[in-house]
Amino acid sequence: MARPVLEVERLCKSFGGVAAVDRVSLALEPGRIYGLIGPNGSGKTTLFNCITGIERRDVGSTRFNGVRIDGLKPYEIARQGIGRTFQLIRVFPELTALENLLVVTRGSLAGAEARALELLRFVKLDGLKHEYAGNLSYGQQKLVEFVRVLMRDPSLILLDEPAAGVNRTLLNDLLEAVRRLRDDGKTVLLVEHDMKVVMGLCETVFVLDHGEKIAEGPPGVIQADERVIEAYFGR
Amino acid sequence: MTPRGTFRLGLVVLVAALAVYPAVGTGYGLRAVLQIFMWIALAASWNLISGLTGYVSFGHVAFFGAGAYTGAILITRAGWSWPTAALAGGLAACVVALVIGYPCLRLKGPYFAIAMLGLNEVLRALVSYFEGLTGGGNGISLPTLEATVPVYYAMGLAAAAVTLLTYLVITSRFGLRLMTIREDEVAAEAMGIDTARHKLYAFLLSAAGPGIVGALAARDQGYIEPISVFPLATTITMIVMVLFGGKGTVWGPVLGAVVLFVSQELVWARFPYLHQLLFGSIIVAVVLLMPRGVLGVLQQRYHLPRTI
């Protein structure tokens, strides 16, 4: 087993006595695509927020390439090489599509611009580069958010419901892009409700229910797991 | 000629005209333009923090007052010349911004606005209390000096400098990062932007102009007291000028300062009581009808850059 990129160990986070994430442990190996599923309110987004430092975990640890990152500020974690998207789109609406990508870069502006244009071309938005992100359609904003994550060239990418609200053609491009990232050696962890997407893309799936990890394994095995079926459909 | 070329030529002509104006202008005219310069510097400074990062400062006149007192004390007690005292006023305002910005910029939305309002009251109370240094409620009288024309140029320079600074910030990646704080601070952090540091830098930049201008105003008026340099009305006027002209743009604060000052002056002369009513009506109308301000509306409608 290769050294994990991300190790989450017994992570806990409660909100006013309700355990949103309850002793969750997981390890992600480099160059793989992982899925994180579970019913609504099972703690998927909270887990993302704890990993990226937006929420402070109560107990437990997170290691990125062997170094502890829990307790760091969100921007410090991002600079270590973890990028994420949000369940509800969070582009910068009054910045143009191009500016949305440029703003997250450091170093040479010319180099950044070349890369930004390349990424916009990749998602077929180069014709709209000077349009305010807030004026783009929902699907287009989602793509801007996705390529914005890639601007910093992170080694771990957390995607929160990348398929929701994206049309089929666009979705296939997006999934292809995720596979290509994996082939480049990047690790992807995605929250998704569309089971077809999860089953077709992910090599390992984690299942959360009431904040606890109730199952982990290849998609085929997870689909047949008694506890998972119970979590989704009840007994 | 391209629109940009025409604009630049117009700007050069305007600056040249303002530079020779003291040779031909009347006393009243000179004082009016001097005041407009001051308002441009104040409004443009407020725009740097509040227009760009969305952190609305309700106490920006505190920096004006800090600069005025620093300048007046250095001139009267230490015998500094007024230009160096003005620069020291800007520096003092930055020091206040550094001390207050570190804790206050963690506050969000209305809490930051109220904290800034409080800062202004605290500073006013402090200068009233330390009578030995500030003269307390009696204020400070500066030595008589006829310096309207040099102060006119100094104010003009301050207005130009803050406007140029705004242009440089808005066209840079630093400026874009400030705007991400306004747009979505959490997303900005998650994208690796150190929002706390950026807010503090913007706050320091926004304090320097009012500090310098405060010291110049103290020299110009020859007398300062706590209620004359820390009035809430000055902060509100800065805010209204920026909102009217267009927040987050280069020329919005300039347009707002000119239009509002001139209209206020015209109405003031005729209806001393009605001008407050008019001013209040403008605030309500701007907020209701065009929250982006004049240039903000044009920018959105005709797809103009923020450098308008």
Side-chain angles (χ1 to χ4, degrees), chain A residues 66-105:
Chain A
V67 181
R68 276 188 78 154
I69 55 164
D70 49 280
L72 294 184
K73 297 211 171 84
Y75 78 89
E76 292 170 323
I77 293 174
R79 286 182 189 180
Q80 302 252 337
I82 300 182
R84 75 168 289 182
T85 64
F86 292 88
Q87 188 181 354
L88 301 170
I89 306 169
R90 300 186 92 150
V91 292
F92 305 120
E94 287 189 30
L95 266 56
T96 65
L98 180 61
E99 286 169 343
N100 258 276
L101 304 199
L102 290 180
V103 74
V104 304
T105 60

Side-chain angles (χ1 to χ4, degrees), chain A:
Chain A
M1 183 172 156
R3 195 179 78 167
V5 181
L6 184 79
E7 287 167 281
V8 175
E9 237 174 290
R10 297 182 68 78
L11 198 84
C12 298
K13 173 74 192 177
S14 351
F15 295 105
V18 179
V21 172
D22 196 0
R23 288 161 292 169
V24 169
S25 299
L26 44 88
L28 310 184
E29 288 174 45
R32 297 175 71 91
I33 302 173
Y34 293 87
L36 181 62
I37 65 170
N40 285 330
S42 58
K44 306 181 295 287
T45 296
T46 304
L47 181 59
F48 265 28
N49 285 346
C50 288
I51 294 172
T52 53
I54 288 169
E55 301 277 4
R56 216 181 167 83
R57 49 102 189 84
D58 299 332
V59 199
S61 69
T62 319
R63 273 169 222 277
F64 182 60
N65 292 325
V67 181
R68 276 188 78 154
I69 55 164
D70 49 280
L72 294 184
K73 297 211 171 84
Y75 78 89
E76 292 170 323
I77 293 174
R79 286 182 189 180
Q80 302 252 337
I82 300 182
R84 75 168 289 182
T85 64
F86 292 88
Q87 188 181 354
L88 301 170
I89 306 169
R90 300 186 92 150
V91 292
F92 305 120
E94 287 189 30
L95 266 56
T96 65
L98 180 61
E99 286 169 343
N100 258 276
L101 304 199
L102 290 180
V103 74
V104 304
T105 60
R106 307 168 85 193
S108 147
L109 192 60
E113 194 153 348
R115 170 129 178 90
L117 290 173
E118 182 188 306
L119 283 170
L120 285 174
R121 214 171 300 127
F122 167 64
V123 291
K124 304 183 179 71
L125 286 177
D126 45 328
L128 292 167
K129 62 186 175 193
H130 291 310
E131 188 60 63
Y132 288 116
N135 294 346
L136 299 174
S137 76
Y138 183 87
Q140 289 168 334
Q141 292 190 23
K142 204 128 193 168
L143 292 174
V144 169
E145 202 191 17
F146 176 65
V147 291
R148 185 177 69 186
V149 168
L150 305 184
M151 281 302 287
R152 272 180 174 270
D153 201 26
S155 52
L156 171 64
I157 300 161
L158 310 179
L159 302 174
D160 204 343
E161 301 202 22
V166 177
N167 72 50
R168 285 286 139 190
T169 347
L170 219 58
L171 182 61
N172 287 332
D173 290 348
L174 201 77
L175 299 183
E176 196 42 50
V178 172
R179 284 197 194 94
R180 217 179 305 167
L181 289 171
R182 185 256 328 263
D183 297 342
D184 286 346
K186 301 192 186 309
T187 311
V188 179
L189 174 63
L190 56 96
V191 165
E192 190 49 70
H193 279 299
D194 188 332
M195 283 306 142
K196 255 193 235 147
V197 171
V198 174
M199 298 307 161
L201 197 60
C202 304
E203 288 138 350
T204 303
V205 178
F206 304 105
V207 188
L208 290 187
D209 186 32
H210 295 297
E212 284 182 69
K213 189 177 82 176
I214 57 165
E216 169 180 350
V221 177
I222 289 295
Q223 256 177 322
D225 190 296
E226 284 290 318
R227 289 191 68 188
V228 176
I229 293 165
E230 192 187 313
Y232 271 92
F233 300 110
R235 203 186 292 269

Side-chain angles (χ1 to χ4, degrees), chain B:
Chain B
M1 198 184 271
T2 61
R4 179 176 295 218
T6 316
F7 178 76
R8 289 207 172 144
L9 184 68
L11 201 59
V12 170
V13 171
L14 182 68
V15 169
L18 289 171
V20 299
Y21 183 68
V24 294
T26 61
Y28 169 78
L30 204 60
R31 299 217 58 77
V33 178
L34 187 153
Q35 296 263 319
I36 290 177
F37 287 155
M38 182 186 85
W39 284 113
I40 289 173
L42 291 176
S45 295
W46 186 84
N47 186 40
L48 277 174
I49 178 73
S50 302
L52 291 179
T53 71
Y55 274 69
V56 174
S57 166
F58 255 99
H60 233 58
V61 72
F63 301 126
F64 177 87
Y69 266 93
T70 305
I73 290 168
L74 288 173
I75 290 168
T76 53
R77 311 245 161 179
W80 286 32
S81 69
W82 63 264
T84 39
L87 292 177
L91 193 65
C94 285
V95 171
V96 173
L98 187 65
V99 172
I100 199 72
Y102 194 72
C104 283
L105 287 165
R106 283 155 203 272
L107 303 170
K108 303 253 185 298
Y111 302 103
F112 173 75
I114 299 297
M116 286 301 297
L117 197 59
L119 164 73
N120 190 39
E121 297 308 308
V122 167
L123 280 189
R124 175 158 64 188
L126 282 177
V127 297
S128 306
Y129 182 76
F130 288 103
E131 284 184 27
L133 190 64
T134 64
N138 294 327
I140 302 175
S141 291
L142 283 78
T144 332
L145 175 74
E146 177 42 50
T148 302
V149 173
V151 172
Y152 170 96
Y153 284 116
M155 282 286 194
L157 204 61
V162 181
T163 306
L164 179 66
L165 179 67
T166 309
Y167 175 84
L168 293 175
V169 167
I170 281 182
T171 52
S172 71
R173 234 183 323 183
F174 170 70
L176 286 180
R177 291 197 195 110
L178 295 182
M179 289 178 236
T180 66
I181 294 169
R182 177 186 74 195
E183 305 285 290
D184 190 331
E185 195 167 347
V186 172
E189 277 271 328
M191 292 301 121
I193 295 169
D194 183 351
T195 55
R197 184 185 293 255
H198 280 79
K199 280 184 283 188
L200 191 60
Y201 288 164
F203 200 50
L204 292 178
L205 290 178
S206 81
I212 292 171
V213 164
L216 292 176
R219 173 60 274 171
D220 186 48
Q221 284 150 20
Y223 171 71
I224 60 166
E225 58 182 330
I227 52 165
S228 75
V229 296
F230 291 108
L232 175 62
T234 301
T235 302
I236 294 180
T237 306
M238 289 183 218
I239 297 175
V240 175
M241 284 170 170
V242 176
L243 293 187
F244 176 85
K247 61 182 193 298
T249 65
V250 174
W251 295 101
V254 179
L255 179 74
V258 172
V259 170
L260 288 185
F261 181 83
V262 170
S263 57
Q264 209 174 357
E265 225 24 38
L266 292 178
V267 179
W268 173 252
R270 281 175 209 145
F271 318 99
Y273 295 102
L274 217 60
H275 95 285
Q276 297 271 13
L277 183 78
L278 179 84
F279 205 61
S281 312
I282 290 176
I283 299 176
V284 175
V286 165
V287 171
L288 286 180
L289 301 176
M290 41 174 204
R292 293 171 170 280
V294 176
L295 293 187
V297 168
L298 293 179
Q299 181 200 355
Q300 195 80 358
R301 188 164 301 166
Y302 300 106
H303 249 266
L304 302 171
R306 295 179 193 92
T307 48
I308 58 166

